[in-house]
Amino acid sequence: MAYRPLCPTQVRRQWFGRSRDGLDPGEVDGFLHRVADELAVLHAELARTREENARIKGALRDWQSRFGPRVVYR
């Protein structure tokens, strides 16, 4: 089966089988690890996006200071 990222609906509708003592600990643990892994990927992607955003904003400020219109106040 191909990997597909979790969507909120999957998390909300996730069902765990029951054992004699309640929920199957292996299923719960596996699901929680998958959620944690997915969140780790998303957090890393968000950090990269924020870094790229800061780099682009800095480049734009540099460009504007060099080539942007000059305002002369009298």
Side-chain angles (χ1 to χ4, degrees), residues 50-66:
R50 286 179 173 156
E51 288 170 7
E52 183 179 7
N53 188 17
R55 183 188 59 76
I56 291 170
K57 283 181 178 182
L60 177 60
R61 277 192 295 274
D62 289 346
W63 185 90
Q64 287 173 327
S65 67
R66 283 190 244 162

Side-chain angles (χ1 to χ4, degrees), residues 22-45:
L23 297 177
D24 182 311
E27 285 186 41
V28 173
D29 191 49
F31 185 74
L32 291 177
H33 281 285
R34 183 173 176 203
V35 171
D37 291 345
E38 185 78 21
L39 288 174
V41 168
L42 293 173
H43 283 288
E45 186 176 329

Side-chain angles (χ1 to χ4, degrees), residues 1-2 12-14 44-45 52 69 73:
M1 180 166 103
R12 288 185 190 103
R13 292 183 180 170
Q14 180 63 36
E45 186 176 329
E52 183 179 7
Y73 295 99

